[in-house]
Amino acid sequence: MTNGTMLQGFSWYLPADGSHWRRLAEQAPAFAYEGITAVWLPPAYKGEKGGEDVGYGVYDTYDLGEFDQKGSVRTKYGTRAEYEAAVRALQANGIQALADIVLNQRLGADGCEDVLAQEVQSGNRGEKVGAPQTISAWTRFSFPGRAGAYSDFTWDWTCFHGVDWDDRAKRKAIFLFDGKHWDDAVDRSENANYDYLMGADVDVNDPRVFEELVRWGCWYVDACGLDGFRLDALKHIDRGFYLRWLDAVRKHAGKELFTVGEYWGRTADELAAYLGGERAMSLFDVPLHYNLYAASCSNGNVDLSKIFSGTLVERDPVHAVTFAEN
């Protein structure tokens, strides 16, 4: 996509009435008329809150609103058939459909497991608190409502780094599972290591997990005819994972699969470091967002000729996706 205009095709506060995929399909001609060339669709898979979930509390990535799980068949946005119809409607109007990919965490597990774990400091994930202890962790994902359709992979505690809840003690803290370690190639400017964000933190570099996520990515592109991705929470996921994952899924698809990532770094240096020499994706220009925000609060006392100062647009415009707010 060259100098295209991407629309964030949803708001966090949309009503949970299951009508959004139909609405997007109906609006596709108007988007095209207005010059939109790509639409970033919200997470399409089942979240822990079922038909109420915005999509970032990921439960089952294979359930696109097709199975009776978490209290509903549809997602907040509609059914799988309606999702696929929205994708086709956008594409029929010359608009790329970009899927939101959320692979950092899982929530809403189907069962608990006893796991030996080490509590760590919230503000310093490398600092231990007390001795290792056995906790009860919500890490068993068997997806009974899907009953093995599309994939029979069952997630257990070995697929994750850790959690933030011990159901045995009914206590919130950050726990690192025995034999696991936080990934290194993540944001280190906060908490000494910001691998852990929420829920059950996916160990994306576990060979079985990586293979399953590649299988799922290939299935998802094939099943829904996707044109690309928006990647969530990059600063919390090992950098090497998406280099390998994107390469595998792109080779399977045989096409570019335009990809933009959310790496919430305030400096162009952080974003350029994440892009590295591979330049495997584009990134949202977070420094530009803050420049625009400062200008909006300036009462006009701003030099707009310097709006791109210190931004990714200034550093690497080809891989920058500008945005004002989301």
Side-chain angles (χ1 to χ4, degrees):
M1 189 191 327
T2 301
N3 289 330
T5 301
M6 179 175 67
L7 173 71
Q8 179 180 327
F10 67 105
S11 161
W12 191 276
Y13 303 104
L14 287 172
D17 58 7
S19 67
H20 190 57
W21 299 141
R22 297 194 302 273
R23 181 164 52 243
L24 284 176
E26 293 168 359
Q27 291 176 321
F31 293 158
Y33 177 78
E34 292 162 358
I36 301 299
T37 58
V39 171
W40 157 22
L41 299 167
Y45 22 85
K46 192 68 61 68
E48 65 166 337
K49 297 178 182 176
E52 303 286 326
D53 205 291
V54 176
Y56 297 96
V58 180
Y59 168 66
D60 185 359
T61 55
Y62 284 101
D63 184 358
L64 305 177
E66 185 178 3
F67 303 98
D68 188 358
Q69 299 190 111
K70 297 302 175 185
S72 72
V73 173
R74 68 163 177 86
T75 67
K76 176 177 180 176
Y77 309 107
T79 66
R80 173 178 173 173
E82 291 165 340
Y83 176 59
E84 292 179 356
V87 170
R88 291 193 300 269
L90 292 169
Q91 292 168 336
N93 284 275
I95 299 170
Q96 291 185 321
L98 307 182
D100 204 326
I101 304 297
V102 188
L103 300 183
N104 179 73
Q105 68 270 347
R106 297 277 170 131
L107 293 97
D110 300 301
C112 286
E113 299 176 290
D114 287 344
V115 189
L116 184 63
Q118 173 66 61
E119 183 180 345
V120 299
Q121 287 279 8
S122 178
N124 183 346
R125 308 294 169 72
E127 187 172 337
K128 298 177 181 179
V129 178
Q133 57 188 293
T134 298
I135 69 169
S136 182
W138 286 97
T139 47
R140 186 79 177 174
F141 291 80
S142 55
F143 315 114
R146 181 159 53 81
Y150 309 127
S151 172
D152 61 0
F153 188 86
T154 295
W155 296 68
D156 61 25
W157 75 265
T158 64
C159 299
F160 304 100
H161 290 127
V163 293
D164 65 355
W165 177 257
D166 174 9
D167 202 64
R168 173 179 294 186
K170 306 298 182 186
R171 190 169 71 90
K172 187 174 180 63
I174 298 177
F175 299 96
L176 177 65
F177 294 154
D178 184 52
K180 295 288 186 175
H181 62 84
W182 307 122
D183 286 330
D184 292 323
V186 297
D187 175 56
R188 307 297 289 270
S189 65
E190 295 181 69
N191 305 323
N193 181 303
Y194 215 165
D195 184 343
Y196 185 83
L197 178 63
M198 66 176 72
D201 185 79
V202 177
D203 184 355
V204 294
N205 287 321
D206 180 284
R208 299 163 304 135
V209 173
F210 179 78
E211 290 172 7
E212 171 64 9
L213 292 178
V214 168
R215 281 194 297 270
W216 168 76
C218 296
W219 170 85
Y220 194 17
V221 169
D222 289 346
C224 300
L226 302 170
D227 298 302
F229 308 118
R230 178 266 184 187
L231 306 180
D232 183 63
L234 289 182
K235 69 190 298 180
H236 308 285
I237 301 173
D238 187 87
R239 180 179 179 273
F241 165 73
Y242 270 126
L243 293 178
R244 296 190 296 142
W245 187 86
L246 279 173
D247 182 63
V249 177
R250 283 167 168 163
K251 284 179 178 175
H252 171 83
K255 57 183 179 180
E256 177 195 8
L257 293 174
F258 171 80
T259 300
V260 56
E262 178 215 26
Y263 189 101
W264 202 265
R266 286 176 175 261
T267 70
D269 286 344
E270 291 177 80
L271 302 186
Y274 185 86
L275 288 171
E278 298 89 353
R279 298 295 196 268
M281 66 183 77
S282 297
L283 295 177
F284 287 116
D285 195 342
V286 177
L288 176 59
H289 157 81
Y290 283 110
N291 286 0
L292 292 168
Y293 174 76
S296 74
C297 299
S298 68
N299 292 317
N301 185 26
V302 61
D303 183 354
L304 289 177
S305 70
K306 297 179 180 178
I307 199 71
F308 292 112
S309 178
T311 66
L312 190 59
V313 167
E314 181 182 61
R315 178 77 66 87
D316 186 354
V318 172
H319 295 95
V321 173
T322 62
F323 79 108
E325 184 58 281
N326 68 347

